[in-house]
Amino acid sequence: MAEILVLVDHADGAVRKPALELLTLARRIGEPSAVVLGAGEAAASVAAKAGEYGAATVYVVDGPEFDEQLVVPKVDALTQIAKDKGVAAVLVTSSGEGKEVAARVALRLGSGLITDAVELEAGANGPVATQSVFAASYQVKSAVSHGVPVITVKPNSAAPEAAPAAGAVENASVAFTGNAAKVVSRTPRVSTGRPELTESAIVVSGGRGVGAAEGFAVVEKLADSLGAAVGASRAAVDAGWYPHSNQVGQTGKQVSPQLYVAAGISGAIQHRAGMQTSKTIVAVNKDAEAPIFDLVDYGVVGDLFEVLPQLTDEIGAR
Amino acid sequence: MTLKIAVCVKYVPDATGDRGFADDLTVDRDDVDGLLSELDEYAVEQALRISEEADDAEVTVVTVGPDDAKDALRKALSMGADKAVHVNDDSIHGSDVIGTSAILAKALEKTGFDLIVCGMASTDGTMGVLPALLAERLNLPQATLLSEVSVEGGPTGTVKGRRDGDAASEQLEAPLPAVVSVTDQSGEARYPSFKGIMAAKKKPVEELDLDDLGIDADEVGLAGSWTLVESADARPARTQGTIVTDEGDGGKQLAAFLSAQKFI
């Protein structure tokens, strides 16, 4: 069966959920093998996890280059393995870095590139990817017509399904090409203990209506009662009430959770571009005319400082 | 020595209009007004700031697009860029990002640069891969998705910047020449002044076609594209669900809805 190369994203030895989703999707179009880069001593546990989710082979490459240089070492490794093994497709998670890695790999392989797929299926001429474009107003189906398809897939595009496979570890050595920007220092983001925004099944976001940084406390309390991630609109981020890393929208994170709760968010097109593919949308806003109400499954016209705490209490009581 | 800064910009359909696809499944540019991609305004802004900090610098804006794409160049010129390059050729229509990056790379080589500045993504395709593709094609270091950027030491100096990723914030450094891209966190883009708008009308815009760049027509456009769009279907608009007005029990009603949907 055709070998599908999956770049497995990990953090401190823990496989990130979107990588398990990629392995799950890869099984629809061939036999997945995983690539684990720069995991150091954690490589064995990352490889084992990839095996549990269907990777027949796990290619492991280690070296200081992955930490010291931006993007290029990952491109070197992925390209070399893809060429050596003659794989049928390369799948990467649609993150800022993931898309950059995929783009350069595609060029080196002489391949077409598809980014931000939300669905993947086998087609007559290779994998067919579905994308959601123009603020989710269109569904586009595309295929790669030249070379080995290189496709990036958005987080939350599939539920990870375990499928134990050999997970045979193969150490690969890579010739690094250099000519990359140097990473001079790295400050890890302080964990809030909440789920990752793009990976979470539920997202609760606050906007201009929250009024102040302190106002986000009610948003966070509701999020915690639901086990949700916290998002913010650009207005709230630009006002300095919440970090940019939590911004949902065209210039922030694009999220596609099972449930999206918009609190005090009017629903400008730029925000909708980042959340419109959410399965169920709920909004609370004082302004009955807010455009967000056009797309909700359930909307409450009211003060979020009344409605959210009451909802949080109800959830706590259940 | 003059620090030569090239800014790549894109002319895109206005996101507040009804964007759609033409019969050949390319973006319909006829039915929606176009403008300079908002995210590229940040790139122009950072190029201008770097230029203002340098002893001697020149900012050239470069675009690949149809006739109307001149509007995007004029906007950047009115903000303060010195000159512009417009690659315009009927054969370019329908190029994918791989093809566009090939055209842009050739145009940049012809124009000359010490630093290439891009926006983080276009507001239409939103792929965010063009800066990486340029770095690959031109064999340059990429310092991308920066929320802070500066250049030290002129044309043979160093570009420095901060990249705020999901897991960490990274300080990056690369020798020039290099490719950078900047995010919407890099700093508010300036509004063109009246004087800037008037001055822009007199600034040079160089026109190039594929012949000028030594590119064959069949390498680009729809035919030369390495991806194939099979279908583009409008999604049914979301229909509005239940809307209630809070009269003291809005939170409880919402809880009942979420419970019925098995979220709680």
Side-chain angles (χ1 to χ4, degrees):
Chain A
M1 204 156 47
E3 186 172 350
I4 310 296
L5 206 57
V6 174
L7 178 60
V8 171
D9 217 358
H10 58 84
D12 301 328
V15 177
R16 301 184 69 157
K17 185 168 150 259
L20 303 179
E21 297 168 16
L22 281 187
L23 288 165
T24 304
L25 284 171
R27 292 206 303 274
R28 295 187 196 166
I29 56 174
E31 184 179 67
S33 54
V35 175
V36 176
L37 304 176
E41 288 172 4
S45 65
V46 174
K49 189 84 170 174
E52 280 172 41
Y53 283 81
T57 312
V58 184
Y59 305 108
V60 173
V61 189
D62 206 6
E65 287 85 355
F66 296 111
D67 272 339
E68 293 168 355
Q69 298 168 26
L70 192 70
V71 172
V72 178
K74 289 182 179 170
V75 175
D76 292 335
L78 212 50
T79 307
Q80 195 177 307
I81 294 166
K83 278 186 178 166
D84 288 352
K85 305 295 171 187
V87 301
V90 179
L91 304 184
V92 181
T93 300
S94 270
S95 59
E97 190 195 42
K99 291 202 276 188
E100 292 181 333
V101 169
R104 297 185 69 151
V105 167
L107 209 49
R108 285 192 193 179
L109 293 175
S111 294
L113 169 72
I114 294 173
T115 59
D116 295 319
V118 295
E119 178 71 50
L120 214 53
E121 60 201 310
N125 304 305
V128 176
T130 304
Q131 293 160 296
S132 179
V133 306
F134 293 155
S137 59
Y138 275 83
Q139 285 245 355
V140 171
K141 285 187 189 251
S142 317
V144 169
S145 54
H146 197 279
V148 175
V150 179
I151 301 172
T152 77
V153 180
K154 275 192 175 188
N156 267 334
S157 295
E161 292 161 17
V169 173
E170 197 175 305
N171 287 304
S173 66
V174 168
F176 293 106
T177 59
N179 213 9
K182 210 164 59 181
V183 180
V184 181
S185 67
R186 179 176 284 117
T187 313
R189 196 172 288 291
V190 179
S191 170
T192 58
R194 297 192 178 93
E196 274 289 315
L197 190 52
T198 51
E199 299 170 17
S200 183
I202 303 180
V203 173
V204 182
S205 288
R208 201 189 296 275
V210 173
E214 299 74 44
F216 263 89
V218 295
V219 175
E220 289 179 336
K221 277 191 187 132
L222 174 59
D224 291 343
S225 73
L226 289 163
V230 176
S233 73
R234 181 160 174 190
V237 170
D238 282 352
W241 302 340
Y242 224 68
H244 178 247
S245 50
N246 296 69
Q247 183 180 315
V248 172
Q250 187 163 51
T251 60
K253 301 273 162 57
Q254 313 234 333
V255 301
S256 195
Q258 296 298 315
L259 171 64
Y260 188 83
V261 182
I265 291 176
S266 67
I269 183 86
Q270 288 81 1
H271 186 76
R272 280 157 41 189
M275 47 66 76
Q276 206 158 343
T277 51
S278 304
K279 309 294 177 294
T280 299
I281 298 174
V282 165
V284 179
N285 200 306
K286 270 201 276 202
D287 177 10
E289 305 295 320
I292 191 85
F293 285 125
D294 294 343
L295 29 127
V296 297
D297 297 284
Y298 199 91
V300 180
V301 179
D303 184 347
L304 69 94
F305 291 102
E306 307 278 336
V307 178
L308 264 51
Q310 190 178 64
L311 173 59
T312 307
D313 287 348
E314 279 292 308
I315 294 166
R318 274 161 204 260
Chain B
M1 282 227 300
T2 308
L3 174 69
K4 296 182 79 175
I5 306 169
V7 190
C8 302
V9 301
K10 190 175 182 188
Y11 177 76
V12 299
D14 188 344
T16 57
D18 276 331
R19 295 174 294 178
F21 289 87
D23 291 343
D24 64 356
L25 298 180
T26 62
V27 174
D28 180 358
R29 290 179 177 272
D30 292 337
D31 286 348
V32 190
D33 286 341
L35 75 182
L36 170 62
S37 173
E38 184 209 330
L39 292 169
D40 292 343
E41 291 186 16
Y42 294 94
V44 175
E45 176 64 32
Q46 290 306 312
L48 293 173
R49 289 190 196 181
I50 291 167
S51 148
E52 286 155 6
E53 289 289 314
D55 290 336
D56 180 18
E58 181 184 64
V59 176
T60 307
V61 280
V62 184
T63 199
V64 176
D67 291 348
D68 292 347
K70 267 184 202 60
D71 292 354
L73 294 174
R74 287 286 168 210
K75 173 79 185 277
L77 291 171
S78 65
M79 287 172 72
D82 300 298
K83 58 195 181 76
V85 174
H86 182 189
V87 186
N88 185 4
D89 195 307
D90 288 345
S91 305
I92 293 171
H93 173 80
S95 295
D96 63 2
V97 72
I98 301 264
T100 304
S101 71
I103 299 165
L104 208 41
K106 290 275 190 203
L108 288 160
E109 277 176 336
K110 195 174 167 72
T111 305
F113 58 84
D114 301 304
L115 178 69
I116 297 169
V117 186
C118 304
M120 61 185 278
S122 69
T123 54
D124 56 349
T126 68
M127 293 177 80
V129 299
L130 187 98
L133 291 172
L134 287 179
E136 181 66 34
R137 286 191 182 278
L138 297 167
N139 194 26
L140 300 173
Q142 68 169 91
T144 41
L145 300 173
L146 302 181
S147 43
E148 229 175 61
V149 61
S150 63
V151 168
E152 284 171 17
T156 54
T158 307
V159 60
K160 296 183 174 185
R162 194 183 77 237
R163 173 172 165 119
D164 293 320
D166 288 342
S169 180
E170 295 165 328
Q171 288 291 339
L172 304 177
E173 206 176 286
L176 297 182
V179 178
V180 305
S181 75
V182 299
T183 71
D184 59 330
Q185 295 296 296
S186 58
E188 198 73 21
R190 68 194 66 186
Y191 286 104
S193 63
F194 178 70
K195 207 175 130 205
I197 293 167
M198 296 312 287
K201 293 183 178 167
K202 297 196 184 109
K203 288 177 178 173
V205 178
E206 186 185 2
E207 296 268 352
L208 298 173
D209 61 19
L210 290 181
D211 275 351
D212 296 324
L213 299 177
I215 297 173
D216 286 339
D218 57 9
E219 290 173 39
V220 295
L222 264 184
S225 181
W226 290 357
T227 46
L228 179 70
V229 177
E230 296 185 348
S231 63
D233 297 310
R235 279 163 65 109
R238 290 187 85 105
T239 47
Q240 194 182 67
T242 312
I243 308 278
V244 299
T245 300
D246 180 33
E247 283 164 354
D249 64 347
K252 287 183 181 168
Q253 290 192 47
L254 188 46
F257 171 78
L258 293 178
S259 172
Q261 301 288 317
K262 309 218 183 311
F263 286 114
I264 56 178

